[in-house]
């Protein structure tokens, strides 16, 4: 298996030429002082080395060995601890963290690219830092100044880790049914008691402490509150003190991500501290949840890139069969890259991956503007973040699994055995469609809350802006522009139809949401392909430009028509889905 190589040229092209990151950063004082394109390029170069030389080598062993639960300890696979120490020492955990509290203060549109590299190298390892960064973001957004000063520096440094403790066996995604209790104490703390399941990074040997963000209910309250609960208590001087009634009941035995410790966590009168206001825990937790949703989408994107590299390399090396019409070299067998079906799969993977990267960087840009911008710039970016977050999570992770399966198909029978490594990608990325809210839930959020929740206002604003940009692309033909423009108009027609009928047909949104999200995803990818093709038209590397032009043509011809299919599915309504009697299932 060849070592992972980050697609640095594509990444730098997106930042500098497609989304004009330097201008965005210059417009924001906090970022203008921290980063320019040279700094960003240096960070990406170093992240590539870290992913290739440190993280990728532990991927296979982590899958083979897995996490072990021995007594009261959770032990990560051999090599994880040493690599994590170097990763944390380099400041990668706190890359986008608050610089006043120990973070590096880098923009999110750069952070998503670093995240992609790490996920491409090893899904399981990268989850530990991702959960820590998300917990730090939540504490910084909603915690008291005292909690921030006490916990954030060691989270940003990677000395401590973070975990998100939400669901329970009887609750699933319906968190109203959680039973974990929080009893207030005279000193302002709370005693937390209950059990949580599916807790990624709930415990491990990578750090000296794990800081849990736990959803629980106050006495005589049906509301849900959020609490910071350290595995080991921290004294007033910031030093570790006594253990805190936080223990591991077991670790989950999973289909994939064997190197990621997914735990059942027990809290027995564990001391915790309120984050945000009482009974407003979900509002606070969604700060972390939305961070992780984008991160999990990027997990799917990282898988796509890794899968493409593995499959493309294999297709160039593996000889089998002869090209249609005869071997161009007269050989008895040709590399399988000559075969149309293999090329179809590789082009599908590559087109989805490169457009997916554009979506992740664009979403990161909106997050930066929403965080640092002022007035209408900040307001509009916040609306776009709300619109795009469920899409980024669901569409990127769906396409990530598709990419892994297509890449496995390129390998044929060799893709089904462990030695090639491609089957690990299939297993590891399957969970991305499930956790942080299943992709069906993401689609319902996208159509039910983000699209029809404001009577299609945010979606209309988004489409109008991007229609205008589309019209300005000088190197794109009117015919190509029309393929995107007409479908943007169709998307809005269907969205408004759903909005008009949502009260009369209460099951409509739930039944059609996945198709609507898929239509939007395929359409936005088509828009990004024309944008990339246009920005590459004057690229100094003629081969780079020609590649972008060809991939854009392939996408418009072969993948963009999926928009029509999915919109037709939405327009067909919910009748055939909802009218069959339950007894017939």
């Amino acid at each position: 298996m060849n070592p992972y190589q980050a697609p640095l040229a594509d990444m730098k092209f997106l930042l500098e030429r497609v989304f004009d990151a330097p201008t965005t950063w210059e417009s924001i004082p906090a970022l203008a002082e921290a980063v320019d394109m040279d700094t960003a390029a240096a960070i990406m170069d170093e992240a590539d080395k870290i992913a290739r030389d440190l993280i990728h080598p532990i991927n296979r062993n982590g899958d083979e060995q897995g996490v072990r639960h021995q007594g009261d300890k959770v032990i990560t696979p051999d090599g994880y601890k040493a690599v994590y120490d170097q990763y944390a020492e380099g400041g990668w955990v706190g890359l986008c963290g608050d610089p006043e509290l120990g973070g590096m203060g880098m923009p999110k549109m750069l952070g998503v690219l670093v995240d992609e590299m790490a996920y491409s190298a090893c899904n399981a390892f990268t989850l530990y830092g991702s959960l820590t960064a998300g917990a730090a973001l939540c504490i910084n957004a909603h915690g008291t100044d005292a909690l921030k000063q006490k916990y954030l520096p060691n989270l940003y440094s990677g000395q401590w880790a973070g975990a998100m403790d939400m669901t329970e066996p009887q609750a699933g995604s319906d968190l109203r049914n959680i039973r974990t209790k929080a009893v207030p104490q005279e000193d302002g703390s709370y005693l937390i008691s209950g059990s949580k399941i599916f807790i990624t990074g709930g415990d491990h040997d990578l750090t000296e402490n794990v800081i849990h963000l736990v959803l629980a209910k106050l006495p005589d309250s049906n509301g849900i509150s959020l609490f910071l609960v350290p595995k080991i208590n921290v004294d007033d001087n910031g030093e570790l003190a006594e253990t805190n009634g936080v223990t591991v009941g077991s670790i989950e035995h999973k289909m994939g991500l064997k190197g990621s410790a997914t735990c059942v966590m027990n809290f027995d009168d564990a001391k915790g501290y309120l984050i945000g206001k009482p009974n407003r825990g979900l509002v606070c937790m969604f700060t972390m949840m939305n961070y992780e949703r984008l991160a999990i989408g990027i997990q799917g994107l990282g898988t796509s890139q890794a899968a493409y590299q593995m499959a493309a390399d294999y297709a160039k090396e593996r000889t089998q069969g002869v090209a249609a019409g005869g071997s161009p070299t007269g050989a008895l067998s040709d590399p399988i890259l000559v075969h149309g079906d293999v090329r179809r799969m590789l082009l599908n993977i590559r087109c989805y991956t490169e457009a997916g990267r554009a979506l992740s960087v664009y979403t990161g840009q909106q997050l930066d503007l929403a965080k640092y911008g002022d007035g209408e710039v900040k307001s509009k970016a916040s609306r776009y973040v709300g619109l795009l977050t469920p899409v980024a999570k669901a569409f990127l992770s769906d396409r990530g699994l598709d990419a892994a399966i297509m890449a496995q198909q390129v390998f044929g029978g060799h893709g089904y055995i462990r030695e090639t490594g491609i089957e690990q990608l299939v297993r590891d990325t399957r969970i991305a469609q499930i956790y942080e809210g299943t992709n069906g839930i993401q689609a319902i959020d996208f159509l039910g809350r983000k699209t029809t929740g404001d009577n299609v206002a945010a979606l209309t604003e988004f489409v109008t802006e991007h229609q205008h940009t589309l019209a300005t692309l000088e190197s794109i033909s009117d015919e190509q522009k029309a393929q995107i423009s007409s479908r943007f108009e169709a998307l809005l027609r269907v969205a408004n139809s759903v909005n008009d009928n949502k009260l009369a047909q209460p099951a409509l949104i739930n039944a059609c949401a996945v198709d609507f999200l898929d239509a939007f995803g395929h359409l936005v990818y088509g828009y990004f392909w024309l944008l990339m093709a246009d920005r590459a038209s004057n690229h100094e590397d003629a081969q780079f430009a020609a590649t972008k032009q060809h991939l854009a043509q392939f996408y418009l011809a072969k993948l963009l028509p999926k928009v029509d299919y999915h919109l037709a599915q939405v327009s067909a309504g919910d009748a055939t889905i909802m009218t069959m009697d339950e007894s017939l299932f």
Side-chain angles (χ1 to χ4, degrees):
M1 183 169 60
N2 295 326
Y4 165 73
Q5 295 283 338
L8 292 175
D10 282 326
M11 291 176 166
K12 293 172 184 177
F13 168 70
L14 285 175
L15 280 182
E16 190 166 20
R17 300 200 183 194
V18 177
F19 297 114
D20 194 11
T23 298
T24 298
W25 299 337
E26 289 168 6
S27 71
I28 299 170
L31 294 179
E33 297 176 2
V35 64
D36 55 20
M37 198 59 211
D38 288 340
T39 304
I43 288 173
M44 287 190 287
D45 289 344
E46 187 62 25
D48 173 38
K49 296 175 185 176
I50 294 290
R52 182 185 67 241
D53 299 335
L54 280 180
I55 301 176
H56 189 254
I58 64 173
N59 184 53
R60 176 68 181 274
N61 178 67
D63 182 60
E64 297 285 353
Q65 189 177 36
V67 175
R68 307 187 301 283
H69 185 202
Q70 297 180 353
D72 61 349
K73 296 180 179 180
V74 175
I75 302 170
T76 54
D78 294 344
Y80 265 52
K81 171 63 174 169
V83 170
Y84 181 85
D85 287 346
Q86 294 181 67
Y87 185 77
E89 185 178 349
W92 298 104
V93 176
L95 181 68
C96 296
D98 188 340
E100 295 184 1
L101 293 163
M104 292 179 64
M106 291 296 109
K108 188 63 178 176
M109 65 189 304
L110 172 61
V112 295
L113 295 172
V114 173
D115 287 346
E116 182 198 326
M117 295 184 216
Y119 276 118
S120 287
C122 181
N123 274 213
F125 174 85
T126 303
L127 286 169
Y128 292 104
S130 178
L131 267 294
T132 300
L137 183 71
C138 183
I139 295 168
N140 200 28
H142 304 289
T144 63
D145 287 340
L147 289 177
K148 293 177 190 179
Q149 295 291 336
K150 194 171 188 176
Y151 290 96
L152 286 181
N154 284 339
L155 286 170
Y156 287 140
S157 72
Q159 185 175 343
W160 298 346
M164 177 170 56
D165 300 65
M166 298 179 66
T167 196
E168 302 171 11
Q170 76 287 344
S173 296
D174 189 353
L175 296 173
R176 294 172 299 178
N177 293 322
I178 65 169
R179 296 171 183 164
T180 300
K181 295 296 183 183
V183 179
Q185 304 299 296
E186 291 184 1
D187 64 356
S189 66
Y190 296 78
L191 293 182
I192 312 298
S193 297
S195 294
K196 299 289 184 176
I197 62 170
F198 303 150
I199 309 307
T200 302
D203 197 49
H204 48 78
D205 60 354
L206 301 180
T207 61
E208 62 184 18
N209 204 1
V210 179
I211 310 305
H212 294 266
L213 296 187
V214 183
L215 291 178
K217 291 182 177 180
L218 296 167
D220 303 318
S221 172
N222 288 323
I224 298 172
S225 302
L226 180 63
F227 300 88
L228 184 157
V229 185
K231 174 187 174 182
I232 302 174
N233 280 311
V234 181
D235 66 22
D236 292 338
N237 297 317
E239 301 295 329
L240 297 183
E242 72 282 356
T243 56
N244 189 30
V246 180
T247 58
V248 178
S250 64
I251 57 173
E252 308 288 0
H253 303 286
K254 308 187 298 293
M255 173 181 175
L257 295 179
K258 301 298 183 69
S260 170
T262 307
C263 303
V264 174
M265 298 302 304
N266 296 324
F267 299 88
D268 300 300
D269 285 339
K271 181 173 285 191
Y273 307 91
L274 183 68
I275 298 287
K277 296 180 180 179
N279 301 319
R280 298 286 290 170
L282 282 179
V283 173
C284 299
M285 183 63 98
F286 266 93
T287 298
M288 183 175 184
M289 173 68 81
N290 284 331
Y291 177 94
E292 300 305 336
R293 283 175 171 172
L294 176 57
I296 295 314
I298 296 170
Q299 179 185 337
L301 176 61
T303 293
S304 296
Q305 179 62 37
Y308 177 78
Q309 289 186 13
M310 294 171 71
D313 287 346
Y314 184 79
K316 296 171 188 175
E317 298 167 359
R318 169 68 169 172
T319 58
Q320 183 172 300
V322 177
S327 172
T329 64
L332 296 178
S333 61
D334 291 320
I336 62 174
L337 186 60
V338 303
H339 303 310
D341 188 52
V342 171
R343 284 173 165 252
R344 174 190 64 82
M345 290 187 286
L346 291 175
L347 285 166
N348 278 346
I349 298 171
R350 186 162 180 182
C351 279
Y352 280 135
T353 301
E354 293 194 21
R357 184 174 300 117
L359 174 62
S360 75
V361 174
Y362 179 79
T363 304
Q365 184 179 45
Q366 300 310 305
L367 281 163
D368 288 334
L369 293 171
K371 181 178 181 178
Y372 297 108
D374 295 315
E376 179 54 25
V377 169
K378 182 183 186 73
S379 179
K380 184 181 76 169
S382 297
R383 292 192 294 273
Y384 284 5
V385 168
L387 192 70
L388 293 172
T389 296
V391 178
K393 192 277 181 182
F395 202 72
L396 285 172
S397 61
D398 278 344
R399 302 294 77 76
L401 180 64
D402 289 347
I405 291 172
M406 281 187 284
Q408 185 182 40
Q409 193 76 10
V410 170
F411 276 79
H414 292 281
Y416 197 65
I417 59 176
R418 298 180 71 88
E419 285 76 7
T420 58
I422 194 68
E423 60 86 34
Q424 182 188 340
L425 283 183
V426 176
R427 289 184 290 105
D428 281 355
T429 202
R430 180 62 184 93
I431 184 61
Q433 297 172 300
I434 298 172
Y435 58 9
E436 310 307 344
T438 66
N439 285 358
I441 289 174
Q442 305 302 320
I444 294 166
D445 176 45
F446 177 61
L447 181 56
R449 293 190 182 95
K450 306 304 170 50
T451 298
T452 61
D454 65 359
N455 296 315
V456 200
L459 181 64
T460 300
E461 180 183 25
F462 180 89
V463 167
T464 300
E465 178 178 333
H466 291 82
Q467 288 274 50
H468 174 75
T469 302
L470 182 66
T472 67
L473 303 184
E474 295 180 356
S475 67
I476 303 302
S477 70
D478 290 342
E479 179 184 357
Q480 289 177 318
K481 292 178 185 178
Q483 290 185 64
I484 302 298
S485 181
S486 63
R487 288 178 170 93
F488 268 138
E489 293 169 1
L491 181 82
L492 287 181
R493 285 197 300 272
V494 171
N496 280 293
S497 176
V498 172
N499 190 54
D500 291 342
N501 291 285
K502 63 186 180 184
L503 297 180
Q505 298 172 251
L508 179 63
I509 287 174
N510 195 301
C512 300
V514 168
D515 277 300
F516 188 80
L517 186 147
D518 280 348
F520 180 83
H522 280 98
L523 180 49
V524 169
Y525 276 23
Y527 166 83
F528 283 140
W529 266 117
L530 291 189
L531 186 61
M532 289 188 288
D534 180 76
R535 300 297 189 255
S537 61
N538 61 353
H539 200 282
E540 59 274 9
D541 184 338
Q543 186 175 15
F544 185 94
T547 301
K548 293 293 186 235
Q549 299 287 343
H550 190 95
L551 291 172
Q553 292 169 10
F554 176 88
Y555 190 91
L556 263 61
K558 296 292 189 179
L559 298 175
L560 184 64
K562 290 177 183 259
V563 175
D564 307 331
Y565 165 79
H566 288 297
L567 289 180
Q569 290 294 303
V570 178
S571 297
D574 64 331
T576 57
I577 296 173
M578 302 305 299
T579 54
M580 194 164 93
D581 190 83
E582 291 182 12
S583 65
L584 300 179
F585 280 90

